[in-house]
Structures are given as structure tokens and as C-alpha cells.
Amino acid sequence: MPLPYPYPYTNQAPDRSLWPAFSKVLAELYAHKWLFPLAGTCAVVIFFWRIRYIPSLTLTDIGLVAIAIVMFSLLMIVVVAVALMLPAAVLIEWQRSGFITDRNSARTSTTQWMAPIGLSLGLLILGEGLALGVMYLWMFTPLGDSYPVLFVGTTLIGAAGTFFPMGMKFKSIDDSSGSRGLKGRKIGWAARLLALSASLYLLTLPIFALVLFGTHTAAARMSGWEVIAVSLALPVLHFTILSLRALPVRSRLVALGVLLLYFLLFAGTVFESLDRAASTFQLGFLADQSVVVSSEGCRLAQASAVVSDCRKLPGPGKPLYEIRNVQLLNRLGSHTVIAEPGWTPRARGRSVPLPSTEVLTWYATPPIKVMETPVRQPAATTPATLTPPAPAAKAEINTAPKPRRWQRAPAC
């Protein structure tokens, strides 16, 4: 029977064009512009807290460092957030076309069946599982090595299935004009959503993987089960974002910001962006570096046990020494902080601040070229079993042969 009117959660969010919604977001950002200097200050404090050292800086230096770190970090966070939010934007378009339903989907007086939230979410997760299976085939099996065109084909299929339903209106499940009954229409709706979900994640999972593994060093150390768990949590996040669309703009931004902040903190994107910003602008967190110092700097580094020896550089002028294979944590202020290899904020090793006057330059540690001495190969000898040695030649003796016993003496 049709549902009684009024129905709960029947108010669908009105369709708005992109520019008015975007202008409201810009207006909210301008109203809270004080957040940007606050974010810059917090970024600088977090950077110094991670290296456990606060240098002496002027306000101008602090402002320049804050701007550099915040702009780079925001760019990296925006790239990760866009790759993360792309499926949610597609789900909103699918919901307008009737492919997916949630608690805010519109109902009419003739509505007989509305897919429950659990069914839509379950089909979304199942579709992503199918996409993960296909990705496993072309990434970790010989099939992907033998047929590299498989990746291009699956990506094109995913793009076609993702953008095909947008702007289209299909028949409602309650439309009984066809030959199929209500049960057949339900099965068709579920199969269609399953195929579209697989197509969506065939397109977006490679993009998200490239962004995640390209910007997070810890992602390369994730186990297979951790990758699967994170991947299966993505549809839940996307479906949650879909359910927020009926809220007011300010409430939607707050809820979306909380969700994104939780995910970015869980994935380590915030700290990773700060570290990459510092290393990109040569402010710190530079691994595998060689630091050229004076004799005083070499003595300080040896006294702190960060290095055991320094290599003297050849050439005229005052003596210069090279400290090889260390990590440059900070070069700001009056001191340059170096640490032993393998230093991380979680596993801190030895570190020492050297006066900047004793540090001349630094560069990536070049590999040591080892001069290989050519080894003479012994002459190939033929085994005796194959070619026996030739018999020794008899010595020639210039003497007359001895007469045989039976030979008669010559007659006189």
C-alpha cells in the first residue's frame, strides 16, 4: 500500500546551481579569514614540536615560514580531499536520478517501495569489493603484466559507468507499465546500482591510490589487510556525506569539516603535509644529506656521537669537513640541527644543533664510488680425463748403438 502522507524525511534538498553554492562557501571563508593566520601559527608550532627544537627567529621569518608551510600543506590537503570527495559528489548526482536512496530521498503519494539505506550502502560496498578484485588482478597477478591494456580498459569502463547516469531519468520502481512485476523491478534496480558502484570505484580507486601513495610515505608500509579495511571504509564515508546534503550550508560545512579532519588525522595527512612542505622549501626534514662544516662543527658533531668521523675535503683554503649521511632537521635561526640517520618524530635518535656560522652548505649524499680492482682469471685448464698430457720426449744421446747379443761382429 502507498505510504500515508506526510512522509518522514520527504523534503529533498532543492537543486541549486554551482555558482551560488560556491559563492556562499567563499563568503563563509571570508567571514572566518582569521583562521588562516591561526593555521599558519599552528603549522609552525607543530613543525618545531616535531623536531623538538625552537630556533630564535624574527617575526618576518616566522611569517614567511608560516605562509610557505600553510600554502603547500593546504594544496596537498586539497588534492587528497578532492580525490576522497569525488565519489560522494557522484553519489549526489545518482541520487537525483533515482539510482540510490537514503533517508532524504523524495517520496510521493504513490510510492510503494523505497530501498532502505542499508541496501543502498551494502550494494555500494559490494560494488567497491568487485572493483578491488579487478584491481588486484591487474596489479598483483601475471594477467596484468601480460595484458597492460586491461588497466586502460577497466578505467574507461569505470568512467563510462560513472558519468552515464548523470542527468538521466529512469522509470520509477512504482511504474508498473512494464512487463516485470515489483519483485523484478527491485532486482533490476539492485543490479543496476551494483554495476554502477563497481564502475564508480574502478575509476576513483586508482586515482585515490595514486594520490595516497604519492603523498604519504607511511602508505607504502601498509599491509594488505589494512589497505582492504581502508578501501571498504570509503563507501561508508561517501554515503555519510551524501546524507548531509539536506542540512544548511553552515551545518553542512561544519559536519563535512569534522569528517575530513578525522580522516586526514587518521591517515596522517596533516603531519605528512607539514613534513613535505618543510623538505620542499629546504627548511628541514631533509634525509640522507651531507653537511659541510668547519673543524669546530666537526668536533661538535663527533662529541654528540651523531657521527663517528668527518671526511676532510681536498683543496686550498681553510680546512673543510664533510659529515655524510645525516638528517637535516632544521636550518632556521642561528643553529642548524642535524640528526643521525633514521631519525623520526616517533623514533627519535641523537641530534645536535650546530652554529650556523660553522655550517657552510649541505646537499644530498652522493653514493661512494668504489674502484673495483680487476681480478685476473686463472688460465683455463683442461681436465686430465679429457686430454691426457703428452709423453715427455726422450733425450737424444750421440752415442753409437750397443750391439745386440745375437749380432755377430763384423769381419776384419
Side-chain angles (χ1 to χ4, degrees), residues 333-371:
S334 59
H335 287 74
T336 301
V337 183
I338 64 172
E340 57 185 357
W343 192 99
T344 61
R346 292 186 177 181
R348 297 187 299 273
R350 295 185 181 93
S351 63
V352 57
L354 302 177
S356 298
T357 55
E358 307 296 335
V359 178
L360 280 79
T361 186
W362 61 88
Y363 45 83
T365 301
I368 300 177
K369 296 182 180 180
V370 180
M371 300 298 295

Short mmCIF file of all heavy atoms in Angstrom, two decimals, residues 333-371:
data_model
loop_
_atom_site.label_atom_id
_atom_site.label_comp_id
_atom_site.label_asym_id
_atom_site.label_seq_id
_atom_site.Cartn_x
_atom_site.Cartn_y
_atom_site.Cartn_z
N GLY A 333 67.10 29.94 11.87
CA GLY A 333 67.66 30.53 13.08
C GLY A 333 69.16 30.52 13.10
O GLY A 333 69.85 30.37 12.08
N SER A 334 69.71 30.65 14.30
CA SER A 334 71.16 30.74 14.47
C SER A 334 71.84 29.39 14.54
O SER A 334 73.07 29.34 14.61
CB SER A 334 71.46 31.53 15.76
OG SER A 334 70.87 30.87 16.88
N HIS A 335 71.09 28.30 14.55
CA HIS A 335 71.67 26.97 14.63
C HIS A 335 71.04 26.06 13.58
O HIS A 335 69.87 26.23 13.21
CB HIS A 335 71.47 26.35 16.01
CG HIS A 335 72.34 26.95 17.07
ND1 HIS A 335 72.10 28.20 17.59
CD2 HIS A 335 73.46 26.49 17.70
CE1 HIS A 335 73.03 28.49 18.51
NE2 HIS A 335 73.86 27.46 18.59
N THR A 336 71.84 25.12 13.12
CA THR A 336 71.39 24.09 12.19
C THR A 336 71.37 22.76 12.93
O THR A 336 72.41 22.36 13.49
CB THR A 336 72.31 24.00 10.97
OG1 THR A 336 72.34 25.27 10.30
CG2 THR A 336 71.85 22.92 10.01
N VAL A 337 70.23 22.11 12.94
CA VAL A 337 70.07 20.88 13.71
C VAL A 337 70.24 19.70 12.77
O VAL A 337 69.54 19.59 11.75
CB VAL A 337 68.68 20.82 14.38
CG1 VAL A 337 68.56 19.56 15.25
CG2 VAL A 337 68.47 22.05 15.25
N ILE A 338 71.19 18.82 13.11
CA ILE A 338 71.38 17.58 12.36
C ILE A 338 71.13 16.41 13.28
O ILE A 338 71.26 16.53 14.51
CB ILE A 338 72.80 17.50 11.73
CG1 ILE A 338 73.85 17.45 12.82
CG2 ILE A 338 73.04 18.64 10.78
CD1 ILE A 338 75.26 17.18 12.30
N ALA A 339 70.76 15.28 12.70
CA ALA A 339 70.45 14.07 13.47
C ALA A 339 71.03 12.87 12.74
O ALA A 339 71.33 12.92 11.54
CB ALA A 339 68.95 13.90 13.68
N GLU A 340 71.15 11.78 13.48
CA GLU A 340 71.68 10.57 12.88
C GLU A 340 70.66 9.95 11.94
O GLU A 340 69.46 10.26 12.03
CB GLU A 340 72.05 9.57 13.98
CG GLU A 340 70.91 9.21 14.91
CD GLU A 340 71.37 8.32 16.04
OE1 GLU A 340 72.55 7.95 16.05
OE2 GLU A 340 70.55 7.99 16.92
N PRO A 341 71.10 9.10 11.02
CA PRO A 341 70.16 8.51 10.05
C PRO A 341 69.06 7.71 10.76
O PRO A 341 69.27 7.11 11.81
CB PRO A 341 71.05 7.60 9.20
CG PRO A 341 72.43 8.14 9.37
CD PRO A 341 72.49 8.69 10.76
N GLY A 342 67.87 7.74 10.15
CA GLY A 342 66.74 7.02 10.73
C GLY A 342 65.96 7.78 11.77
O GLY A 342 65.04 7.22 12.37
N TRP A 343 66.30 9.05 12.00
CA TRP A 343 65.57 9.84 12.99
C TRP A 343 64.17 10.13 12.48
O TRP A 343 63.99 10.60 11.35
CB TRP A 343 66.32 11.14 13.25
CG TRP A 343 65.83 11.93 14.43
CD1 TRP A 343 66.37 11.95 15.67
CD2 TRP A 343 64.71 12.83 14.46
NE1 TRP A 343 65.66 12.80 16.48
CE2 TRP A 343 64.63 13.35 15.76
CE3 TRP A 343 63.78 13.24 13.51
CZ2 TRP A 343 63.66 14.26 16.14
CZ3 TRP A 343 62.79 14.13 13.89
CH2 TRP A 343 62.75 14.64 15.19
N THR A 344 63.17 9.88 13.31
CA THR A 344 61.78 10.21 13.01
C THR A 344 61.15 10.81 14.25
O THR A 344 61.65 10.61 15.37
CB THR A 344 60.99 8.96 12.58
OG1 THR A 344 61.00 8.00 13.66
CG2 THR A 344 61.58 8.32 11.32
N PRO A 345 60.06 11.55 14.11
CA PRO A 345 59.41 12.10 15.31
C PRO A 345 58.94 11.03 16.28
O PRO A 345 58.85 11.30 17.48
CB PRO A 345 58.22 12.88 14.72
CG PRO A 345 58.66 13.25 13.34
CD PRO A 345 59.47 12.09 12.86
N ARG A 346 58.65 9.83 15.79
CA ARG A 346 58.23 8.76 16.70
C ARG A 346 59.41 7.99 17.28
O ARG A 346 59.34 7.50 18.40
CB ARG A 346 57.30 7.80 15.95
CG ARG A 346 55.96 8.40 15.59
CD ARG A 346 55.03 7.35 15.00
NE ARG A 346 53.72 7.90 14.70
CZ ARG A 346 52.71 7.19 14.21
NH1 ARG A 346 52.88 5.90 13.95
NH2 ARG A 346 51.54 7.77 13.98
N ALA A 347 60.47 7.83 16.50
CA ALA A 347 61.67 7.12 16.96
C ALA A 347 62.84 8.09 16.86
O ALA A 347 63.60 8.08 15.90
CB ALA A 347 61.91 5.87 16.12
N ARG A 348 62.97 8.93 17.87
CA ARG A 348 64.00 9.96 17.84
C ARG A 348 65.34 9.39 18.28
O ARG A 348 65.42 8.66 19.28
CB ARG A 348 63.60 11.13 18.75
CG ARG A 348 62.34 11.85 18.31
CD ARG A 348 62.10 13.08 19.15
NE ARG A 348 61.94 12.77 20.55
CZ ARG A 348 60.78 12.43 21.11
NH1 ARG A 348 59.69 12.38 20.36
NH2 ARG A 348 60.70 12.16 22.39
N GLY A 349 66.37 9.72 17.51
CA GLY A 349 67.72 9.33 17.87
C GLY A 349 68.52 10.53 18.35
O GLY A 349 67.96 11.52 18.86
N ARG A 350 69.82 10.45 18.18
CA ARG A 350 70.68 11.56 18.61
C ARG A 350 70.58 12.71 17.61
O ARG A 350 70.49 12.49 16.41
CB ARG A 350 72.14 11.09 18.71
CG ARG A 350 72.38 10.05 19.79
CD ARG A 350 73.86 9.76 19.88
NE ARG A 350 74.14 8.74 20.88
CZ ARG A 350 74.23 7.45 20.63
NH1 ARG A 350 74.06 7.01 19.38
NH2 ARG A 350 74.49 6.58 21.58
N SER A 351 70.64 13.92 18.14
CA SER A 351 70.64 15.13 17.31
C SER A 351 71.46 16.19 18.01
O SER A 351 71.65 16.13 19.24
CB SER A 351 69.21 15.63 17.05
OG SER A 351 68.59 15.99 18.27
N VAL A 352 71.95 17.15 17.24
CA VAL A 352 72.78 18.20 17.82
C VAL A 352 72.57 19.48 17.01
O VAL A 352 72.53 19.44 15.77
CB VAL A 352 74.26 17.79 17.82
CG1 VAL A 352 74.75 17.45 16.43
CG2 VAL A 352 75.12 18.88 18.45
N PRO A 353 72.40 20.63 17.67
CA PRO A 353 72.36 21.92 16.94
C PRO A 353 73.78 22.45 16.75
O PRO A 353 74.53 22.60 17.72
CB PRO A 353 71.52 22.81 17.85
CG PRO A 353 71.70 22.23 19.22
CD PRO A 353 71.97 20.77 19.07
N LEU A 354 74.14 22.72 15.52
CA LEU A 354 75.44 23.30 15.21
C LEU A 354 75.28 24.77 14.91
O LEU A 354 74.30 25.17 14.26
CB LEU A 354 76.07 22.60 14.00
CG LEU A 354 76.28 21.07 14.10
CD1 LEU A 354 76.84 20.55 12.79
CD2 LEU A 354 77.19 20.74 15.26
N PRO A 355 76.18 25.60 15.35
CA PRO A 355 76.08 27.03 15.00
C PRO A 355 76.09 27.21 13.48
O PRO A 355 76.88 26.58 12.77
CB PRO A 355 77.33 27.64 15.65
CG PRO A 355 77.69 26.70 16.75
CD PRO A 355 77.32 25.34 16.27
N SER A 356 75.21 28.05 13.00
CA SER A 356 75.10 28.25 11.56
C SER A 356 76.37 28.82 10.96
O SER A 356 76.64 28.65 9.76
CB SER A 356 73.91 29.17 11.24
OG SER A 356 72.71 28.56 11.68
N THR A 357 77.18 29.51 11.79
CA THR A 357 78.45 30.03 11.28
C THR A 357 79.45 28.93 10.98
O THR A 357 80.40 29.15 10.22
CB THR A 357 79.04 31.01 12.31
OG1 THR A 357 79.16 30.34 13.58
CG2 THR A 357 78.15 32.23 12.46
N GLU A 358 79.25 27.75 11.57
CA GLU A 358 80.16 26.62 11.33
C GLU A 358 79.66 25.71 10.22
O GLU A 358 80.32 24.74 9.87
CB GLU A 358 80.34 25.80 12.62
CG GLU A 358 80.76 26.60 13.82
CD GLU A 358 82.13 27.23 13.66
OE1 GLU A 358 82.94 26.70 12.87
OE2 GLU A 358 82.40 28.27 14.30
N VAL A 359 78.47 25.99 9.69
CA VAL A 359 77.88 25.17 8.62
C VAL A 359 77.92 25.97 7.34
O VAL A 359 77.36 27.08 7.27
CB VAL A 359 76.44 24.74 8.96
CG1 VAL A 359 75.83 23.93 7.83
CG2 VAL A 359 76.42 23.94 10.25
N LEU A 360 78.58 25.42 6.31
CA LEU A 360 78.73 26.16 5.06
C LEU A 360 77.65 25.80 4.04
O LEU A 360 77.06 26.69 3.42
CB LEU A 360 80.11 25.90 4.45
CG LEU A 360 81.27 26.72 5.06
CD1 LEU A 360 81.71 26.11 6.38
CD2 LEU A 360 82.44 26.78 4.10
N THR A 361 77.35 24.54 3.87
CA THR A 361 76.33 24.12 2.91
C THR A 361 75.93 22.69 3.21
O THR A 361 76.49 22.04 4.11
CB THR A 361 76.86 24.24 1.46
OG1 THR A 361 75.79 23.95 0.55
CG2 THR A 361 77.98 23.26 1.20
N TRP A 362 74.96 22.21 2.45
CA TRP A 362 74.52 20.82 2.56
C TRP A 362 73.99 20.39 1.20
O TRP A 362 73.59 21.21 0.37
CB TRP A 362 73.44 20.65 3.63
CG TRP A 362 72.21 21.45 3.37
CD1 TRP A 362 71.12 21.08 2.65
CD2 TRP A 362 71.95 22.79 3.82
NE1 TRP A 362 70.20 22.09 2.60
CE2 TRP A 362 70.68 23.15 3.31
CE3 TRP A 362 72.67 23.70 4.59
CZ2 TRP A 362 70.14 24.38 3.56
CZ3 TRP A 362 72.10 24.93 4.84
CH2 TRP A 362 70.85 25.27 4.33
N TYR A 363 73.97 19.10 0.98
CA TYR A 363 73.50 18.55 -0.28
C TYR A 363 73.21 17.08 -0.07
O TYR A 363 73.61 16.48 0.96
CB TYR A 363 74.55 18.73 -1.40
CG TYR A 363 75.95 18.39 -1.00
CD1 TYR A 363 76.41 17.08 -1.03
CD2 TYR A 363 76.83 19.40 -0.57
CE1 TYR A 363 77.71 16.78 -0.66
CE2 TYR A 363 78.12 19.11 -0.19
CZ TYR A 363 78.56 17.80 -0.24
OH TYR A 363 79.84 17.50 0.14
N ALA A 364 72.48 16.49 -1.02
CA ALA A 364 72.16 15.08 -0.92
C ALA A 364 73.44 14.26 -0.98
O ALA A 364 74.33 14.52 -1.78
CB ALA A 364 71.21 14.66 -2.04
N THR A 365 73.53 13.28 -0.11
CA THR A 365 74.74 12.47 -0.02
C THR A 365 74.94 11.69 -1.31
O THR A 365 74.08 10.86 -1.67
CB THR A 365 74.65 11.49 1.16
OG1 THR A 365 74.48 12.24 2.36
CG2 THR A 365 75.92 10.65 1.25
N PRO A 366 76.04 11.95 -2.02
CA PRO A 366 76.28 11.17 -3.24
C PRO A 366 76.76 9.77 -2.89
O PRO A 366 77.38 9.56 -1.84
CB PRO A 366 77.37 11.97 -3.97
CG PRO A 366 78.11 12.67 -2.87
CD PRO A 366 77.09 12.95 -1.79
N PRO A 367 76.48 8.81 -3.73
CA PRO A 367 76.96 7.46 -3.45
C PRO A 367 78.47 7.38 -3.57
O PRO A 367 79.08 8.06 -4.40
CB PRO A 367 76.26 6.61 -4.53
CG PRO A 367 75.95 7.57 -5.63
CD PRO A 367 75.70 8.89 -4.97
N ILE A 368 79.07 6.56 -2.73
CA ILE A 368 80.52 6.39 -2.74
C ILE A 368 80.89 5.45 -3.88
O ILE A 368 80.38 4.33 -3.98
CB ILE A 368 81.02 5.83 -1.40
CG1 ILE A 368 80.65 6.80 -0.26
CG2 ILE A 368 82.52 5.60 -1.44
CD1 ILE A 368 81.03 6.29 1.10
N LYS A 369 81.77 5.92 -4.75
CA LYS A 369 82.22 5.10 -5.87
C LYS A 369 83.40 4.25 -5.42
O LYS A 369 84.44 4.77 -5.02
CB LYS A 369 82.62 5.98 -7.06
CG LYS A 369 81.46 6.78 -7.65
CD LYS A 369 81.92 7.59 -8.84
CE LYS A 369 80.76 8.39 -9.43
NZ LYS A 369 81.21 9.18 -10.62
N VAL A 370 83.23 2.98 -5.49
CA VAL A 370 84.27 2.04 -5.10
C VAL A 370 85.00 1.60 -6.36
O VAL A 370 84.39 1.09 -7.30
CB VAL A 370 83.67 0.83 -4.36
CG1 VAL A 370 84.77 -0.15 -3.96
CG2 VAL A 370 82.89 1.29 -3.14
N MET A 371 86.32 1.83 -6.38
CA MET A 371 87.13 1.42 -7.52
C MET A 371 87.37 -0.08 -7.45
O MET A 371 88.00 -0.58 -6.50
CB MET A 371 88.47 2.17 -7.54
CG MET A 371 88.32 3.69 -7.63
SD MET A 371 87.50 4.21 -9.16
CE MET A 371 88.74 3.69 -10.34
#
